[in-house]
Amino acid sequence: MANSKYEYVKAFEQPDILLPNTWIVVRIDGRGFHKLSDRYAFQKPNDRRALDLMNAAAVEVLKDLPDLAIAYGVSDEYSFVFHPTCELFERRGAKLVTTIVSTFTAHYIFLWSKYFVDTPLQSPHLPSFDGRAVMYPATQNLRDYMSWRQVDCHINNLYNTTFWMMVLRGGMSNTDAEEELKGTVSADKNEILFKRFGINYNNEEEVYKKGSVVYRQYQLEDSKTGSDSKAQSQADAQANASKTQQEKLRKLRRKAQVVVEHVDIIKDEFWERRPWILSGKPGKLPAEA
Amino acid sequence: MANSKYEYVKAFEQPDILLPNTWIVVRIDGRGFHKLSDRYAFQKPNDRRALDLMNAAAVEVLKDLPDLAIAYGVSDEYSFVFHPTCELFERRGAKLVTTIVSTFTAHYIFLWSKYFVDTPLQSPHLPSFDGRAVMYPATQNLRDYMSWRQVDCHINNLYNTTFWMMVLRGGMSNTDAEEELKGTVSADKNEILFKRFGINYNNEEEVYKKGSVVYRQYQLEDSKTGSDSKAQSQADAQANASKTQQEKLRKLRRKAQVVVEHVDIIKDEFWERRPWILSGKPGKLPAEA
Amino acid sequence: MANSKYEYVKAFEQPDILLPNTWIVVRIDGRGFHKLSDRYAFQKPNDRRALDLMNAAAVEVLKDLPDLAIAYGVSDEYSFVFHPTCELFERRGAKLVTTIVSTFTAHYIFLWSKYFVDTPLQSPHLPSFDGRAVMYPATQNLRDYMSWRQVDCHINNLYNTTFWMMVLRGGMSNTDAEEELKGTVSADKNEILFKRFGINYNNEEEVYKKGSVVYRQYQLEDSKTGSDSKAQSQADAQANASKTQQEKLRKLRRKAQVVVEHVDIIKDEFWERRPWILSGKPGKLPAEA
Amino acid sequence: MANSKYEYVKAFEQPDILLPNTWIVVRIDGRGFHKLSDRYAFQKPNDRRALDLMNAAAVEVLKDLPDLAIAYGVSDEYSFVFHPTCELFERRGAKLVTTIVSTFTAHYIFLWSKYFVDTPLQSPHLPSFDGRAVMYPATQNLRDYMSWRQVDCHINNLYNTTFWMMVLRGGMSNTDAEEELKGTVSADKNEILFKRFGINYNNEEEVYKKGSVVYRQYQLEDSKTGSDSKAQSQADAQANASKTQQEKLRKLRRKAQVVVEHVDIIKDEFWERRPWILSGKPGKLPAEA
C-alpha cells in the first residue's frame, strides 16, 4: 500500500492504559472562567444560571456514558468518576478524558441559550474546559477525594459570599474586603455575614453550600447496611463479569434516572443509602419508574 | 485549614509533561461520526458543509492558541501541531489535548447552524470528539506524520468517491460495490470512475483530494532556500528565548492571518516556502496586511 | 556557574513516581539463565545450590531494605514486595527497581563461590538480572499475584521433574519427552513419575514444589484472627504516620530475623498467622530473640 | 490451565516503551558511595583503583551490549548511551536500565579483588548502583548532556583536589577548608593549589580532569568531515534497516575493540573523528586489527 512508507509514525503513539482496579476521576475545569464570567456578567457570588447549566451538561454526560458512577460539581469544575471495574475504551486515559471534556463542552454550548436567555455567546469568546484523569486505588481514597472537593466548595462559598456582601452591599472596594478577610476563620466570616448583613449562612441555598452531586437513582436503601464489605464483594463479582454481562449492566444503568442533588457526601449516610455507587452494581429501579 | 485532612489525595495526581524538544501532534477524531453522519444526512462521499465546519472550528483553535504551528484536517479528524520549542501549559499532555478538544468542540457546536442551515442539532445527539497527543522527535518524523495523513486522505477519498458513484449513480448495493472494490488498486478505481461515470478523478475538488491545511500566513519565500538546517538553528535560538521574547513571538503570531488551503504537504515545496512553520519563528507579515 | 549552559538537559528527566497506596512488586529475572545453567552445569531438574544462592541473595536484599514486606522466589526469578504505605525513594520506580536488581546481583556474585564451591565464575559470562515494577491496588490483587507465581512454580516443577526423569533416567531424547508430555495434565505426569520411576511427587522437596518465601519473622499469631479488616485499619494508621514514626518502624524491622520458608502462600493461613506482612506494621519479636 | 484464575494480574503490568528515534542515556550512580569509600579507605581526592574498576566494569557492559554507542564515567557514576535507532529489548525502559545496572554491578563485584588487591569486600557492605533512563530527541541534546557531565567532572575535581590538598597537606580541618572554598571561582582554586602546594592543576592526570570515555574503536577519520548531516542520513538509513541487517551491524560492533580514553568530548573534534558514534553505523576496523 502506498501509505506503508509513512506508517512507521504510528509506532510513536504510546499506550496510556490506566491501572486496572482503581477508581478513575476525570476532573474538568473551565478555561479562563474568571474572565469569562465578567464578559457574560455572571452574578456574584454565585450565578444560578451558570450552575444549572453546568449541572445540565453533567447530566447529559452521565446519560451518554453509563459507565460513570457519579459526578460532583462546584463552580466551574466537575469531577466524573468511573468505577474500578470500568473497562470503557480499555481504560485509555486520553480517550476517557477527552470524551468527557468534549461531550460536556458540546452540551454546555448547546444548552447555553436555554440558561442564559438574554446573553448570547459571542464568538470567539466561547466557554471551554480542560481536564485530567487521576487514579485512586482504594474506595477510601475516592471518598476522601469527594470530601476534599465538597469541603473546598464550602470554604470557597463562605469566603465568596462574605466577600461579595462586603463589596456589593457593604460598599467596600475589592482590595479592602480582601484585606479584611485575610486570616479570618469560618466563625469570623459567619459573624460578618450575620452582624453586618443579617445573613445566616446556614440559610443559604444548598446548591451553593454543598455543590451538586449527579448519579443514577435507584431505590434508596436502609442506611444501616454495612455497604463497604458488600460493595467490595460485588465489585469483585463484576470484575469477573463477562462482556455480555457487562453489556446487560450497561443497559440497566441506561434505564435509571440521572438525578442532581445538593447534599452532604462527606458522611457515610449518602453512600450507605446508595450502595450501587460504590459497588458498581445497579440497584433496583424505583417502583414508580 | 479544615481541608488538610483530605488534601493528601492531591498526591495521586501524576505529572504528564511531554518530552522537551519534540513535535507534539494532537489528533482529534469525531466520536461515532458514521452514525452521526446518517442522522444529520451528510452527503456522500463528501459533505462540503461538514468539511467547512471542521475547517472553521480548526481556524478558531489556531487563533485561540498562537503556539500552534499548523493543523491538518481530513474527514472527521484534525491534527494540531505544536513546535518542539512550545512551552504552553508547561507541555502537560492532558492539558494540551483537552484544551484543543474542548475549544474545537465549542466552536463546532456554535458554528453548526451556520453551515447546516436547515439541519438543527438534536440533543442528545451532539457531535463530540476524542483526542490524543503524540510526540515526534525529528522534523522528518513530523513531515512523515503529515504525509501519512495526506496519503490516507487520498486513499480513502478515491475509494469513497468510487464506492458512492457505484452505489448512488450505478445503482449497486453497498455490499456489491464493496465486493467489487476489494483488492483493486488506484488505477482500477480511476478506470471505474472514468469508464462508468465519465469522472476524471483529477478534476475532483482539491479539498476532497488533499484535505485541509491550516496555518498562519506570512510572506511566502523563494522555495530554493534550504529550510531544514536554517529551521534547526532558529529553533535552537528560540529554545533559549526568554519568557519575554516568547510572549513577543506570541503577539506576532496573533497578528498573522490564519488561512485554510488544500495543497500538497508531502513534497518539500510547501515547507520550504513557509519556513516559519518548521522554524517556529514568525515570518514577515504580508505588505498588504 | 560554567555548567549552566548545559544544565538544561536535566529537564529531559521525567518523573516516575509510582501511584500512592498501591502494592509494589519488583520482579527480577535471570538474564539468559538457560544458557548460563548449561555453562555452569546446573543440575536438572533443580540445582539446589543455585536455589540456595538465589535465596541467600534475596535475604540480603530484605536485610538491606527494611521497607520490603515479603519476597517470593522460584527458579531464576524473585518477586520483592513493598507495602502500599512504602515511601522509600519517594516511590520512584526506576530507583526502586534498580536498587533491588543491583543489590541482588552484588550478593549473588559475591556469594557464588560459597554455593558453587568447585565451579568458579568465568568472566565475561557472569550472571545478571533484569527487573520491573508492577503496582497492585488491592490486597487481593497482591495475594493473587503471589498465588500466580506459586501455581506457576508447581506447574513448571511438575513438568520439569517429569521431563528430566524421562530423559535422565528413562533415556528418552529431549524431543521425545517433550512430545509425549504435550497435552498431558497433572494427573498424567504424576502417573508417569510413579509408574515409570517409582516417584511420588508429593515426596519431592518443598523448596522445589513450593518455591521460597522470604520475610521478617515475628511471633506467629493464632490463625483465627480476621486479618484483612485489621490490616486495612493498620495500614491507614501508618499512612498517616510521621517521618519519625516511620523511622522507628524501620528500626523495628531491622531487628527482626529474615527467614526463608517453603510453604503454601495461596491459602489464607500463611497470611493470617503473619498479619504484619499485609498490615505493614511490625509484629512482636519472638521471646527468644 | 490451573493458573488461569490468577493470571489476570498480568494485566497490571504497564508498558514502558521509550519514544522511538531518541537517544537513550542510562545513568547509573553508586549507592551510598560516600560511606562506602570510607569503609574501603578510598584515597582522596581520587582513588585510581576505584576509577579503573569503574572503567573495567563499563568496558564489560559495552562488550556485552553491542547496541551501546558510547559511555562516559566520572567518580561513581557512569552514563551509557543507546543510539536513536536502537531497538534492543523493544526499547523497554525498565529492561534497558536494569540490564545495564545488573551487568555493571556483576562485573564490578567480580573484578573488585583485581583492583583492590588488599581490601576484600565485606558483606553485607557490598557496592551497588541505581540507575535511570533519559531520552534526548536531538543529537545536540545528547552532546550537551555529555558536555554537562564532563564540565561537572572538571568542577568537582578542581574543588576536590583543592579541598583535599588543604586538608591532607595543609593540615586544615574539613570545616575550615570548606569554609574557605565557599564562593571561590576556578581561578581562586588554581591559585591556592599553585601558591600553597606548588601544584599546577593542568598537570593533574587526565583521568581525573576529563573523566573516562568508553567506545568502540575503528579507524579515526579526518576531522574536517562535517559529521552531523552525514550522521543523520546514515541514521535514517539504519532506521530502515531490516532485522537481518541490524544483526549484521551488531556482529561488526562485536569485532571492534572497546577503548577507554580521557579526552575532551565537549568540542566537535572528538565526535567528528569518530563519526560512527553519532551515526550509529560501524566504522572501518583498524588495519592492524
Side-chain angles (χ1 to χ4, degrees):
Chain A
M1 175 60 85
N3 217 351
S4 61
K5 180 180 164 190
Y6 300 123
E7 268 179 332
Y8 80 92
V9 298
K10 286 167 74 175
F12 290 74
E13 299 182 7
Q14 301 192 293
D16 67 337
I17 304 286
L18 300 178
L19 190 67
N21 201 22
T22 55
W23 291 94
I24 301 169
V25 174
V26 174
R27 184 170 73 238
I28 70 173
D29 282 277
R31 276 183 69 215
F33 260 52
H34 190 77
K35 216 169 161 180
L36 194 100
S37 67
D38 284 347
R39 173 173 299 276
Y40 294 109
F42 282 19
Q43 286 153 21
K44 304 292 184 183
N46 290 294
D47 188 306
R48 184 61 193 252
R49 301 165 302 174
L51 292 179
D52 286 346
L53 174 51
M54 290 289 290
N55 293 341
V59 165
E60 293 300 329
V61 172
L62 258 89
K63 283 184 183 168
D64 194 38
L65 299 172
D67 292 84
L68 281 168
I70 189 171
Y72 175 75
V74 46
S75 183
D76 64 338
E77 81 167 44
Y78 237 100
S79 298
F80 295 91
V81 182
F82 291 104
H83 194 266
T85 55
C86 170
E87 291 293 340
L88 184 63
F89 307 142
E90 296 103 57
R91 299 175 72 86
R92 279 179 285 152
K95 183 103 174 175
L96 289 167
V97 177
T98 55
T99 296
I100 283 181
V101 163
S102 182
T103 305
F104 188 91
T105 304
H107 287 284
Y108 190 96
I109 301 288
F110 182 78
L111 290 168
W112 174 276
S113 60
K114 180 177 168 190
Y115 291 90
F116 285 88
V117 180
D118 304 318
T119 317
L121 284 173
Q122 303 152 2
S123 182
H125 308 289
L126 303 188
S128 65
F129 299 83
D130 58 43
R132 63 180 305 166
V134 184
M135 295 173 276
Y136 290 103
T139 297
Q140 189 58 51
N141 299 141
L142 186 268
R143 286 280 309 273
D144 288 344
Y145 173 84
M146 301 299 269
S147 297
W148 176 48
R149 299 323 302 141
Q150 193 166 50
V151 170
D152 223 45
C153 169
H154 166 72
I155 292 172
N156 290 333
N157 190 57
L158 177 56
Y159 181 95
N160 290 337
T161 303
T162 313
F163 175 88
W164 285 106
M165 280 302 122
M166 292 163 79
V167 170
L168 298 177
R169 287 228 233 138
M172 291 174 76
S173 72
N174 286 16
T175 321
D176 287 349
E178 202 180 318
E179 193 58 37
E180 184 176 344
L181 287 173
K182 213 171 271 177
T184 58
V185 295
S186 293
D188 302 326
K189 297 189 194 79
N190 276 314
E191 196 178 299
I192 291 175
L193 282 175
F194 192 71
K195 290 217 172 142
R196 297 193 202 169
F197 308 107
I199 291 174
N200 184 337
Y201 182 74
N202 288 333
N203 297 337
E204 291 292 293
E205 288 194 54
E206 292 298 307
V207 59
Y208 303 145
K209 289 185 299 180
K210 296 279 198 302
S212 301
V213 198
V214 186
Y215 63 95
R216 276 166 248 285
Q217 190 62 286
Y218 303 98
Q219 280 186 31
L220 289 187
E221 295 192 10
D222 188 336
S223 87
K224 279 169 198 160
T225 322
S227 68
D228 268 321
S229 57
K230 194 174 147 200
Q232 197 49 45
S233 60
Q234 287 170 336
D236 289 349
Q238 190 183 15
N240 298 319
S242 66
K243 288 225 165 177
T244 327
Q245 284 170 306
Q246 293 213 357
E247 196 45 51
K248 202 175 145 194
L249 292 176
R250 201 167 282 163
K251 274 182 192 162
L252 267 170
R253 288 188 195 110
R254 285 198 193 279
K255 284 190 187 160
Q257 195 193 352
V258 174
V259 297
V260 182
E261 293 183 352
H262 317 293
V263 295
D264 181 279
I265 56 171
I266 299 175
K267 300 198 198 78
D268 292 337
E269 197 202 351
F270 174 84
W271 306 94
E272 286 175 358
R273 300 205 63 193
R274 299 158 184 85
W276 58 84
I277 296 174
L278 295 181
S279 74
K281 193 177 164 181
K284 289 184 189 160
L285 290 174
E288 69 267 41
Chain B
M1 176 60 83
N3 216 351
S4 61
K5 181 181 163 190
Y6 301 122
E7 267 178 332
Y8 80 92
V9 297
K10 286 168 74 175
F12 290 75
E13 300 182 7
Q14 301 193 294
D16 67 336
I17 305 286
L18 300 177
L19 191 67
N21 201 23
T22 54
W23 291 93
I24 301 169
V25 174
V26 173
R27 183 170 75 238
I28 70 173
D29 282 277
R31 276 183 70 214
F33 261 51
H34 190 77
K35 214 169 161 182
L36 194 100
S37 66
D38 285 346
R39 173 173 299 275
Y40 294 108
F42 282 18
Q43 288 154 20
K44 305 292 184 183
N46 290 295
D47 188 307
R48 185 61 192 251
R49 301 164 301 173
L51 292 179
D52 287 346
L53 174 51
M54 289 290 287
N55 292 341
V59 166
E60 294 300 328
V61 171
L62 257 89
K63 283 184 183 166
D64 193 39
L65 299 173
D67 292 84
L68 281 168
I70 189 171
Y72 176 74
V74 46
S75 183
D76 64 339
E77 82 167 44
Y78 237 99
S79 298
F80 296 91
V81 181
F82 292 104
H83 194 265
T85 56
C86 169
E87 291 294 339
L88 183 63
F89 307 142
E90 296 102 57
R91 300 176 72 84
R92 279 178 284 152
K95 184 104 175 175
L96 290 167
V97 177
T98 55
T99 295
I100 284 181
V101 163
S102 183
T103 305
F104 188 91
T105 304
H107 287 284
Y108 191 96
I109 300 287
F110 182 78
L111 291 168
W112 174 276
S113 61
K114 182 177 167 190
Y115 292 90
F116 285 88
V117 180
D118 303 319
T119 316
L121 284 172
Q122 303 152 1
S123 183
H125 308 289
L126 304 187
S128 64
F129 300 82
D130 56 44
R132 63 181 306 167
V134 184
M135 295 173 276
Y136 290 104
T139 297
Q140 190 57 52
N141 299 139
L142 187 267
R143 285 280 309 272
D144 289 345
Y145 173 84
M146 301 298 269
S147 298
W148 176 48
R149 299 323 302 141
Q150 194 166 51
V151 170
D152 223 44
C153 169
H154 166 71
I155 292 171
N156 290 333
N157 190 58
L158 177 56
Y159 182 94
N160 290 337
T161 303
T162 315
F163 175 87
W164 285 108
M165 279 301 121
M166 293 163 79
V167 170
L168 298 178
R169 288 229 232 138
M172 291 175 74
S173 73
N174 288 15
T175 321
D176 287 349
E178 203 181 317
E179 192 57 37
E180 184 176 343
L181 288 173
K182 212 171 270 177
T184 58
V185 296
S186 294
D188 303 326
K189 297 190 195 79
N190 276 314
E191 198 178 297
I192 291 174
L193 281 176
F194 192 71
K195 291 217 170 140
R196 297 193 202 168
F197 309 105
I199 291 173
N200 183 338
Y201 182 74
N202 288 333
N203 297 339
E204 290 293 292
E205 289 194 54
E206 292 300 307
V207 59
Y208 303 145
K209 289 186 299 181
K210 295 281 198 302
S212 302
V213 198
V214 186
Y215 62 95
R216 275 165 249 285
Q217 189 62 288
Y218 303 98
Q219 282 186 30
L220 288 186
E221 296 193 10
D222 187 337
S223 87
K224 278 167 198 160
T225 321
S227 67
D228 267 320
S229 57
K230 194 175 146 201
Q232 197 49 44
S233 59
Q234 287 170 336
D236 289 349
Q238 191 182 13
N240 299 318
S242 66
K243 290 224 164 177
T244 327
Q245 284 170 306
Q246 294 213 354
E247 194 45 50
K248 202 176 145 193
L249 293 175
R250 202 168 283 162
K251 274 182 192 162
L252 268 170
R253 288 188 195 110
R254 285 198 192 279
K255 285 190 186 160
Q257 196 193 351
V258 174
V259 297
V260 181
E261 295 184 350
H262 316 294
V263 296
D264 180 278
I265 56 171
I266 298 175
K267 299 197 198 81
D268 291 338
E269 197 202 352
F270 175 84
W271 307 94
E272 286 175 359
R273 300 204 63 193
R274 298 157 185 86
W276 58 85
I277 296 174
L278 295 181
S279 73
K281 194 176 162 181
K284 288 183 191 162
L285 290 174
E288 69 267 41
Chain C
M1 175 61 82
N3 217 352
S4 61
K5 181 181 165 190
Y6 301 121
E7 268 178 332
Y8 81 91
V9 298
K10 285 167 73 174
F12 290 74
E13 300 182 6
Q14 301 192 295
D16 67 337
I17 305 286
L18 300 178
L19 190 68
N21 201 23
T22 54
W23 291 93
I24 301 169
V25 174
V26 173
R27 183 171 71 239
I28 72 173
D29 283 277
R31 278 183 68 215
F33 260 51
H34 189 78
K35 215 169 161 182
L36 194 99
S37 65
D38 284 346
R39 173 172 299 275
Y40 294 108
F42 283 18
Q43 288 154 20
K44 305 293 184 183
N46 292 294
D47 187 306
R48 184 61 191 250
R49 301 165 301 174
L51 293 179
D52 286 346
L53 174 51
M54 288 290 288
N55 293 342
V59 165
E60 292 301 329
V61 172
L62 257 87
K63 282 184 184 167
D64 193 39
L65 298 172
D67 292 84
L68 281 168
I70 189 170
Y72 175 74
V74 44
S75 182
D76 64 340
E77 81 169 42
Y78 238 100
S79 298
F80 295 91
V81 181
F82 290 105
H83 194 265
T85 55
C86 169
E87 292 293 339
L88 183 64
F89 306 142
E90 297 102 57
R91 299 175 72 84
R92 279 179 285 152
K95 184 103 174 175
L96 289 167
V97 177
T98 54
T99 296
I100 283 181
V101 163
S102 182
T103 306
F104 188 91
T105 304
H107 287 284
Y108 191 96
I109 300 289
F110 182 78
L111 291 168
W112 174 277
S113 60
K114 181 177 167 190
Y115 292 90
F116 286 88
V117 179
D118 302 320
T119 318
L121 284 172
Q122 303 152 2
S123 184
H125 309 288
L126 303 187
S128 64
F129 299 83
D130 57 43
R132 62 181 306 168
V134 183
M135 296 173 275
Y136 291 104
T139 298
Q140 189 58 51
N141 299 140
L142 186 267
R143 286 280 308 273
D144 288 346
Y145 172 83
M146 302 298 271
S147 297
W148 176 48
R149 300 322 303 142
Q150 194 166 50
V151 170
D152 224 45
C153 168
H154 166 72
I155 292 170
N156 290 333
N157 190 58
L158 178 56
Y159 181 94
N160 290 337
T161 304
T162 315
F163 175 88
W164 285 107
M165 279 302 122
M166 293 163 79
V167 170
L168 298 177
R169 286 229 233 137
M172 292 174 74
S173 73
N174 286 15
T175 320
D176 287 348
E178 202 180 319
E179 192 58 38
E180 183 177 345
L181 287 174
K182 212 171 269 176
T184 57
V185 296
S186 294
D188 302 327
K189 299 189 193 77
N190 276 314
E191 197 178 297
I192 292 173
L193 282 175
F194 191 71
K195 290 215 171 143
R196 298 194 202 168
F197 309 106
I199 291 174
N200 183 339
Y201 183 73
N202 289 332
N203 298 337
E204 291 292 293
E205 287 194 56
E206 293 299 307
V207 59
Y208 303 145
K209 289 186 299 180
K210 295 281 197 303
S212 301
V213 198
V214 186
Y215 63 95
R216 274 166 248 287
Q217 190 62 287
Y218 302 98
Q219 281 186 30
L220 288 188
E221 295 193 10
D222 187 337
S223 88
K224 278 168 198 162
T225 321
S227 67
D228 269 319
S229 57
K230 195 175 145 201
Q232 196 50 43
S233 59
Q234 288 170 336
D236 290 348
Q238 190 182 15
N240 298 319
S242 66
K243 291 223 164 178
T244 327
Q245 283 170 306
Q246 294 212 355
E247 195 45 52
K248 203 177 144 193
L249 292 176
R250 201 167 283 162
K251 273 181 193 164
L252 268 170
R253 289 188 194 109
R254 285 198 193 280
K255 284 190 187 161
Q257 195 193 352
V258 174
V259 297
V260 181
E261 294 184 352
H262 317 292
V263 295
D264 180 279
I265 57 171
I266 299 175
K267 299 199 198 81
D268 292 336
E269 197 203 350
F270 174 84
W271 306 93
E272 285 174 359
R273 300 204 64 193
R274 297 158 186 85
W276 58 84
I277 296 174
L278 296 181
S279 75
K281 194 176 162 181
K284 287 184 192 160
L285 290 174
E288 70 266 41
Chain D
M1 175 61 83
N3 217 351
S4 61
K5 181 181 163 189
Y6 301 121
E7 267 178 332
Y8 80 92
V9 298
K10 285 167 76 174
F12 290 75
E13 299 181 7
Q14 302 193 294
D16 68 335
I17 305 286
L18 300 178
L19 191 68
N21 201 23
T22 55
W23 291 93
I24 301 170
V25 174
V26 173
R27 184 171 71 239
I28 71 173
D29 282 277
R31 276 182 71 214
F33 260 52
H34 189 78
K35 217 169 159 181
L36 194 99
S37 66
D38 284 347
R39 172 172 301 275
Y40 294 108
F42 282 20
Q43 287 154 21
K44 306 293 183 181
N46 292 293
D47 187 304
R48 186 61 194 251
R49 302 164 300 172
L51 292 178
D52 287 346
L53 173 51
M54 288 291 289
N55 293 341
V59 165
E60 294 300 329
V61 171
L62 258 89
K63 284 184 184 167
D64 193 39
L65 299 172
D67 292 85
L68 281 168
I70 189 171
Y72 176 74
V74 46
S75 183
D76 64 340
E77 80 167 44
Y78 238 99
S79 299
F80 295 90
V81 182
F82 291 105
H83 194 265
T85 56
C86 169
E87 292 293 339
L88 184 62
F89 307 141
E90 297 102 56
R91 298 175 73 84
R92 278 179 285 152
K95 184 103 175 175
L96 289 166
V97 177
T98 55
T99 296
I100 284 181
V101 163
S102 182
T103 306
F104 188 91
T105 304
H107 288 284
Y108 190 96
I109 300 288
F110 182 78
L111 291 167
W112 174 276
S113 61
K114 180 178 169 190
Y115 291 90
F116 285 88
V117 179
D118 303 320
T119 317
L121 284 172
Q122 304 152 1
S123 184
H125 308 288
L126 303 187
S128 63
F129 299 83
D130 57 44
R132 62 181 306 166
V134 184
M135 296 173 275
Y136 291 103
T139 297
Q140 189 57 52
N141 299 140
L142 187 267
R143 287 279 309 272
D144 288 345
Y145 173 84
M146 301 298 270
S147 297
W148 176 49
R149 299 322 302 143
Q150 194 166 51
V151 170
D152 223 45
C153 168
H154 166 71
I155 291 171
N156 291 332
N157 189 57
L158 177 55
Y159 181 94
N160 291 336
T161 304
T162 315
F163 175 88
W164 286 107
M165 279 303 122
M166 293 162 80
V167 170
L168 298 177
R169 286 229 234 138
M172 291 174 76
S173 72
N174 287 17
T175 321
D176 287 348
E178 202 180 319
E179 192 59 36
E180 184 176 344
L181 287 173
K182 211 171 271 176
T184 57
V185 296
S186 293
D188 302 326
K189 298 190 193 76
N190 276 313
E191 197 178 298
I192 291 174
L193 282 174
F194 192 71
K195 290 215 171 145
R196 297 195 201 168
F197 309 105
I199 291 174
N200 183 339
Y201 182 74
N202 290 332
N203 297 338
E204 291 293 294
E205 289 194 52
E206 293 298 308
V207 58
Y208 303 144
K209 288 185 299 178
K210 295 281 198 300
S212 301
V213 198
V214 186
Y215 62 95
R216 274 168 248 286
Q217 190 62 287
Y218 302 99
Q219 280 186 31
L220 287 188
E221 296 193 9
D222 187 336
S223 87
K224 279 169 198 161
T225 322
S227 67
D228 268 319
S229 57
K230 194 175 147 201
Q232 196 50 44
S233 60
Q234 289 170 335
D236 289 348
Q238 191 183 14
N240 299 318
S242 66
K243 290 226 164 176
T244 326
Q245 284 170 306
Q246 293 212 355
E247 194 46 50
K248 201 176 145 194
L249 292 176
R250 201 167 284 163
K251 273 183 193 161
L252 268 169
R253 288 188 195 109
R254 285 196 193 280
K255 283 189 186 160
Q257 194 193 353
V258 174
V259 296
V260 181
E261 293 183 352
H262 317 292
V263 296
D264 180 281
I265 56 171
I266 299 175
K267 300 199 198 79
D268 291 337
E269 197 202 351
F270 174 83
W271 306 94
E272 286 174 359
R273 300 203 65 192
R274 299 157 184 86
W276 57 85
I277 296 174
L278 295 181
S279 74
K281 194 177 162 180
K284 288 183 192 160
L285 290 174
E288 70 267 43

